């Protein structure tokens, strides 16, 4: 499923190394902006920086064409986190973001992801 900020979607995101996305987003970053966390579906990626969330939608058979969507933290009206349950067979956690334009994004994280840390990071940038 494509990652963008145009549709209400759910993604199964797994953590990836920041070095693997630096080349992808370097041209979008402004002075003082740094990637903090990155996640990936099968092909698409989601990057949290200290200024915004960047979604990378990999398109086409070869994956050379990419669509980049960004949403600054300043546009977040509120968010909700849901922790993974105890002894779940397939543990996952979720992040729900509601933006000032009315769009709601739902992100589902698979595996060992510290959703509390993501919530604290968003709080820090939203409340600054």
């Amino acid at each position: 499923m494509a990652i963008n900020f145009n549709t209400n979607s759910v993604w199964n995101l797994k953590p990836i190394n920041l070095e693997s996305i630096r080349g992808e987003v370097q041209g979008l970053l402004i002075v003082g902006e740094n990637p903090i966390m990155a996640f990936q579906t099968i092909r698409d990626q989601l990057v949290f920086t200290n200024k915004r969330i960047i979604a990378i939608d990999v398109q086409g058979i070869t994956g050379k064409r990419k669509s980049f969507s960004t949403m600054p933290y300043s546009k977040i009206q509120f968010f909700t986190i849901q922790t993974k349950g105890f002894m779940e067979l397939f543990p996952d956690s979720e992040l729900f973001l509601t933006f000032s334009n009315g769009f709601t994004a739902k992100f589902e994280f698979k595996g060992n992801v510290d959703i509390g840390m993501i919530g604290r990071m968003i709080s820090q940038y939203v409340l600054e």
Side-chain angles (χ1 to χ4, degrees):
M1 180 173 292
I3 295 179
N4 59 50
F5 290 107
N6 299 322
T7 58
N8 295 340
S9 301
V10 176
W11 307 290
N12 294 322
L13 297 159
K14 294 180 182 172
I16 57 173
N17 187 316
L18 283 177
E19 293 305 315
S20 65
I21 55 91
R22 288 200 192 275
E24 299 286 340
V25 299
Q26 197 62 42
L28 293 174
L29 302 179
I30 62 171
V31 174
E33 183 175 18
N34 299 301
I36 297 172
M37 287 184 250
F39 300 89
Q40 184 169 340
T41 62
I42 293 172
R43 291 175 25 149
D44 300 330
Q45 298 170 334
L46 188 71
V47 180
F48 291 86
T49 76
N50 59 326
K51 304 282 183 191
R52 59 186 158 168
I53 303 169
I54 301 172
I56 304 167
D57 177 11
V58 178
Q59 303 174 350
I61 295 171
T62 65
K64 291 186 185 274
R65 182 177 178 164
K66 296 179 175 118
S67 174
F68 295 84
S69 302
T70 74
M71 189 68 77
Y73 295 120
S74 63
K75 299 295 181 189
I76 295 175
Q77 289 293 100
F78 63 90
F79 70 93
T80 303
I81 59 171
Q82 179 177 314
T83 62
K84 55 187 168 190
F86 179 71
M87 299 283 295
E88 283 188 11
L89 184 57
F90 301 106
D92 64 348
S93 50
E94 296 177 349
L95 169 67
F96 301 86
L97 299 171
T98 301
F99 295 95
S100 59
N101 64 359
F103 173 73
T104 300
K106 178 181 175 185
F107 302 101
E108 185 177 291
F109 298 92
K110 292 292 184 189
N112 193 18
V113 174
D114 187 349
I115 194 71
M117 185 176 81
I118 293 173
R120 286 187 301 277
M121 177 191 66
I122 292 171
S123 293
Q124 177 183 349
Y125 298 126
V126 168
L127 297 173
E128 284 185 340

